[in-house]
Amino acid sequence: MAGSRGESGRARPRNAPSLAVIGAGVAGCALAAGLRRGGWEGSIVLFEAGRGPGGRAATRRSRQDAGWRLDHGAPLLNLLEVPAPELVAPLLDGGWIVPWQEPAAVLLGEGTLGPAQEDPLLRGSLYRGRQGMDDLCRGLLALAQAQGPPDSLRCRYGTLVRHLEVRPEGGWRLAEATGAALGEADWLVLSSTLLAHPRAMDRFGWAELPLERATEGLGDGALATALAAIARMETAARTNLMLTIDPTTAARWLALPFRLLGFDSQAQRRWGLRRLSIQPLTDGRCAVVAHGVSVDAAVDCTALEGAVAGAVEPWLGERPSGGEALAGVAQRQLMRWGAAFPVAPGLPTAALVCPASRVAFCGDFIEGPGFGRIEGALRSAQALAGRLLALVLLLCLALGGPSMAAAEVVPYRCEGDLLLATSDNGAVDAPGIPNTSGGTVPGATVLLAWRDLRLQLPRTNNVGPPSYTDGLWWWSLEDPQQPRFLHRRGAIESFSCQAVPAAAPPDDGR
Ligand SMILES: Cc1cc2nc3c(=O)[nH]c(=O)nc-3n(C[C@H](O)[C@H](O)[C@H](O)COP(=O)(O)OP(=O)(O)OC[C@H]3O[C@@H](n4cnc5c(N)ncnc54)[C@H](O)[C@@H]3O)c2cc1C
């Protein structure tokens, strides 16, 4: 993974760090796509314990039964905040996700149907993977593959990372449970808390937490704070019943007035279910996934199937006369999610990047909009991609890399976070244009990279020191040491910015 030559033998640009990402769920895949689309040239390897991408938004498939697939985790995604995460538009354009148009409802305690919006997971703009939820992650990986050097993005499925080690020269070594080496990278990204959360010790019988152990004695205060926050996090478990229904009976399920049925709190108490998802299969069969309330180990298929039969009886009709609760069930399986949803508070966004140890985090466990949902996984990956790209730009600047020397990249500290301003006079033929100011010409722009924002602001025609605006954002250099950075959102918001000496990264490396 590390080094200046890829596996293909092609030279990689200098200063392009390599990245090992733990997890190919939504956050890991979105990070790869966001980095590549932002110009990250270093190699990216995603390590995934599962057989394919998706994580909790994966789709189960069968090698023996080609027509069978089932979304056993998230059946859809909902976006509550605007603007939508940047990757949603290219995913829609590429046909990887589609707007959710099937009927949805909420079952109320008295047994009637209410509007879908009563369920927090059914509010906002709803989407699903075109042919299963794992299309979301497949699409993200396709977006990542479409950019950057060839062969520099890899996914290693069926690979549980067990051991982590800090290299003497900085960066990371990864190994599996047997101790066999998996690879090395300059940066480590965790899109799951597993390697840092005490639940791993219970689940796998590990004697210690891999990330904690590897970073003992490093003296990285930011990482120590992040690890303490992760160790305190709680997760909610889920038990799901997965049914495959034969074609004759499936027709009745598919004619129901809902494909997704949420349960309000009273209905959850009455039937012990949170949600029903009815998923058509291509050959006339359908899958029914019931999300149970109880995570008691005693809850089994029979109990959950009985609850489903009771809840849908008014619409599905009579139960079969035999011992089984539902007719036409060809296959029953139970799925226990030990850590289905993180419980707030999540990891503060300030802890997203720990530069001293070259560790970073993304995933639905990062606090902020969409926490605990796919939206949060996408947004956290977008934010992390922005931070890593900005960090690498700064590093190139500090090292005086030849490619960066030509660009006028100036680092600032704005509200505590690094902002990189790249001024560009563009292709304008400047001589003869009268209102040149501060070395800029009409048509010049400034690119601002700050937090997860990427702004390209055209120069104004104002005389005096250069100023730039797109009507919403304002950047001007009356005092080059303290630029004016404003945002108009109803009222004018002003961000405090100071120039950072370019000779070296800021003290904390951020
Ligand atoms: C039953 C259920 C229903 C849900 N319903 C909804 C819904 O309706 N809407 C919604 O928005 N969200 C829903 N969610 C939540 C949603 O699925 C998650 O928020 C989202 O998928 C999280 O993505 P992620 O990439 O952050 O994490 P994950 O999907 O957990 O990805 C992390 C990945 O890392 C891998 N991994 C971890 N440790 C290692 C290791 N050491 N080595 C290798 N691989 C490792 C894991 O295998 C996993 O694939 C649901 C979740 C569940 C379980």
Side-chain angles (χ1 to χ4, degrees):
M1 281 185 275
S4 60
R5 275 184 190 278
E7 280 156 15
S8 59
R10 260 182 226 94
R12 292 254 163 77
R14 259 186 73 205
N15 305 330
S18 54
L19 214 67
V21 181
I22 310 290
V26 175
C29 296
L31 177 67
L35 284 173
R36 279 284 187 256
R37 290 166 71 84
W40 184 279
E41 300 258 288
S43 84
I44 302 175
V45 182
L46 288 89
F47 294 92
E48 171 54 56
R51 283 198 311 192
R56 282 171 279 152
T59 302
R60 272 196 189 203
R61 293 170 197 276
S62 162
R63 288 202 184 99
Q64 293 76 39
D65 184 351
W68 188 85
R69 61 160 195 257
L70 185 148
D71 293 333
H72 60 167
L76 80 171
L77 70 136
N78 62 327
L79 300 178
L80 291 173
E81 301 284 325
V82 285
E86 281 165 13
L87 292 164
V88 169
L91 285 168
L92 282 165
D93 290 346
W96 293 100
I97 58 171
V98 292
W100 173 277
Q101 279 165 345
E102 290 76 7
V106 163
L107 182 58
L108 308 174
E110 69 268 25
T112 55
L113 296 182
Q117 292 72 24
E118 305 256 320
D119 183 334
L121 288 169
L122 294 174
R123 281 181 206 144
S125 308
L126 310 184
Y127 302 93
R128 61 174 174 81
R130 178 182 283 277
Q131 293 182 347
M133 277 304 284
D134 60 356
D135 268 356
L136 168 60
C137 282
R138 290 182 200 284
L140 290 168
L141 291 174
L143 292 176
Q145 294 281 11
Q147 320 242 333
D151 308 328
S152 61
L153 174 74
R154 280 203 301 147
C155 295
R156 295 192 55 178
Y157 299 120
T159 306
L160 179 78
V161 176
R162 164 67 182 89
H163 298 289
L164 299 171
E165 190 192 334
V166 178
R167 295 187 306 206
E169 71 275 26
W172 291 88
R173 276 196 195 108
L174 285 69
E176 53 191 352
T178 59
L182 286 169
E184 300 189 13
D186 298 318
W187 276 80
L188 175 70
V189 176
L190 275 79
S191 76
S192 154
T193 56
L194 186 73
L195 292 174
H197 194 278
R199 76 173 188 279
M201 295 160 82
D202 297 338
R203 181 168 158 198
F204 298 110
W206 294 349
E208 83 294 307
L209 294 173
L211 186 56
E212 193 179 62
R213 174 167 187 176
T215 53
E216 259 166 18
L218 279 189
D220 181 351
L223 182 62
T225 308
L227 289 181
I230 289 175
R232 283 194 300 272
M233 271 181 212
E234 291 182 15
T235 51
R238 289 285 184 275
T239 302
N240 288 0
L241 172 69
M242 302 176 292
L243 303 172
T244 309
I245 312 284
D246 68 30
T248 323
T249 321
R252 283 165 54 205
W253 280 93
L254 294 171
L256 292 177
F258 45 79
R259 282 286 160 87
L260 243 165
L261 183 66
F263 286 59
D264 77 355
S265 52
Q266 234 190 315
Q268 288 184 21
R269 280 195 295 278
R270 181 167 167 194
W271 286 288
L273 298 173
R274 290 176 191 275
R275 209 154 34 145
L276 275 187
S277 153
I278 302 162
Q279 305 169 15
L281 300 179
T282 47
D283 52 11
R285 291 178 294 172
C286 75
V288 175
V289 182
H291 301 205
V293 168
S294 171
V295 290
D296 195 317
V299 172
D300 60 8
C301 288
T302 311
L304 279 171
E305 192 176 321
V308 173
V312 296
E313 193 169 351
W315 298 276
L316 199 64
E318 296 205 356
R319 303 184 191 200
S321 48
E324 284 156 357
L326 288 166
V329 179
Q331 199 183 333
R332 299 173 173 78
Q333 287 169 286
L334 208 61
M335 170 82 193
R336 295 189 196 275
W337 291 98
F341 291 92
V343 176
L347 184 66
T349 46
L352 223 53
V353 180
C354 304
S357 350
R358 297 199 211 152
V359 173
F361 301 95
C362 60
D364 70 341
F365 61 93
I366 309 289
E367 71 181 15
F371 173 79
R373 292 182 290 114
I374 290 174
E375 179 175 6
L378 287 170
R379 290 191 188 281
S380 71
Q382 182 176 317
L384 179 57
R387 298 250 183 125
L388 290 176
L389 286 163
L391 201 67
V392 168
L393 267 176
L394 182 63
L395 200 69
C396 292
L397 186 75
L399 295 174
S403 58
M404 296 309 298
E408 292 175 53
V409 187
V410 185
Y412 299 89
R413 174 76 76 186
C414 292
E415 300 293 339
D417 284 320
L418 177 70
L419 179 149
L420 294 173
T422 311
S423 43
D424 184 357
N425 276 353
V428 177
D429 190 8
I433 296 177
N435 61 345
T436 299
S437 68
T440 66
V441 291
T445 58
V446 67
L447 298 172
L448 301 180
W450 184 55
R451 298 179 176 163
D452 53 345
L453 269 179
R454 287 285 181 286
L455 299 171
Q456 181 174 26
L457 308 183
R459 208 205 74 176
T460 67
N461 275 333
N462 297 355
V463 290
S467 55
Y468 304 83
T469 187
D470 62 355
L472 284 179
W473 294 88
W474 174 274
W475 177 260
S476 61
L477 298 165
E478 288 87 355
D479 176 356
Q481 293 305 306
Q482 297 192 50
R484 282 208 305 153
F485 187 29
L486 310 174
H487 184 207
R488 188 159 55 82
R489 209 168 35 174
I492 306 271
E493 203 176 352
S494 170
F495 304 100
S496 155
C497 297
Q498 297 81 36
V500 173
D507 289 346
D508 62 1
R510 292 173 64 203

